[in-house]
Every structure is written in C-alpha cells, then in structure tokens.
Amino acid sequence: MKEFIVVSDNHGNAKVLQQILEKHPNAEGFIHCGDSEMDPRDLKNFTVVTGNNDYYFKFPEYMIVTLGGKRIYITHSHTLPYGKAIETLVARAKAQDCEIACYGHTHKFDFRTIDGVTVINPGSLYYNRDGSDPSYAKITIENDIISAEKLFSKDL
C-alpha cells in the first residue's frame, strides 16, 4: 500500500502545512496544487505548482510526478477554460500518460474517475466554498486501486 498527500490553497498558512507533514511522516510524497503564497524554501517537502494568487514566487504551471507507481499530472487549474476545465484537465493528463490528475483553485473536494483518469481536488486549507471545513486529501494506492480520503485540518 502506498499513500501520498495532496493539498491546495493554504493562502500563506505555513503552520497547517507543517502539521500535515508531521501527521503523515510515512507518506511517499506531498503535492501542493497551488495558491500557497509562500516562498519555495518553505515548501521544500512539497511538489508545488503555481496558483493565481502566487504573485511573488515562481512555480511551474504544471508538473508530472510518479508516486505509488502512478504518473500524476498536477496543476492549479485557474488557466483551464471555464466550463471545460475538468474535460481539459483529463485530456492533458491522458496526453502525458498520467493516470491521476490533481488540481486546486475551486476550494471544493473532488474525487472521481473520468475516461480512465482519477481526478482529485483536495479542497482548500484556507476555506472550502461548499461550506465544509478546510480540507486536504490522503490518496491510497493498493492493488492498483486508487482511493481518496478527505481529511480536515481542524483534526491536525
């Protein structure tokens, strides 16, 4: 069994990221889907992409990593076309031979499979727009099955 952590949209809250690192010391990796609003030196344990509020530091628009034996496409998603964001995300992930696509920006948890690509949004560590508590995701891969658990920062 392999596990990794996906976070997004902490908007400068460094403390919550440190708490997540401490709570999940055995995670294979940590993905940040943008809007950290933090210096890259403070995110050294995370694979990070840029968000629409990351004005002061440069991160890549998207990245591809391999965790748990799966290729993962990571983006914030703010530059994807409105109304076709998920469709475009899935197409880009497939074009890069990725089985998982992680994104942020919407501040809403999302976990589903579309056209063979598992799509994951961990929600926001700042506030969620669906009224739920701030959240992040723990992804588990076991026997080639991908599952996601929505975890809450208030429980750290």
Side-chain angles (χ1 to χ4, degrees):
M1 178 173 69
K2 301 284 186 176
E3 293 181 352
F4 61 93
I5 303 300
V6 182
V7 305
S8 192
D9 298 276
N10 63 298
H11 294 282
N13 183 346
K15 181 181 176 185
V16 71
L17 296 182
Q18 185 58 43
Q19 290 171 321
I20 288 169
L21 290 169
E22 290 168 5
K23 178 151 183 149
H24 303 282
N26 298 319
E28 184 176 335
F30 296 87
I31 292 172
H32 196 302
C33 297
D35 276 358
S36 69
E37 297 182 49
M38 293 172 58
D39 188 306
R41 293 174 292 193
D42 297 324
L43 295 161
K44 63 183 178 215
N45 293 309
F46 290 85
T47 299
V48 184
V49 294
T50 198
N52 57 303
N53 287 299
D54 290 319
Y55 304 116
Y56 302 108
F57 302 102
K58 278 289 208 189
F59 300 101
E61 184 74 29
Y62 74 93
M63 291 188 74
I64 297 167
V65 298
T66 300
L67 292 170
K70 305 287 184 186
R71 283 177 55 87
I72 304 165
Y73 184 93
I74 309 162
T75 189
H76 187 60
S77 82
H78 64 291
T79 61
L80 299 178
Y82 185 77
K84 293 191 176 236
I86 299 301
E87 188 178 307
T88 304
L89 175 66
V90 168
R92 289 183 182 177
K94 287 183 75 136
Q96 296 287 339
D97 295 319
C98 294
E99 295 177 69
I100 299 172
C102 296
Y103 73 104
H105 186 58
T106 66
H107 291 228
K108 294 180 186 175
F109 184 86
D110 186 12
F111 175 68
R112 54 189 157 151
T113 300
I114 301 169
D115 199 17
V117 176
T118 301
V119 176
I120 300 162
N121 185 320
S124 169
L125 287 169
Y126 182 67
Y127 75 93
N128 278 332
R129 293 183 179 138
D130 62 3
S132 66
D133 288 325
S135 65
Y136 65 103
K138 179 172 77 171
I139 310 306
T140 304
I141 301 171
E142 187 170 18
N143 299 324
D144 214 33
I145 296 171
I146 303 164
S147 60
E149 183 178 358
K150 182 179 183 182
L151 301 174
F152 299 98
S153 59
K154 69 177 184 177
D155 297 330
L156 293 170

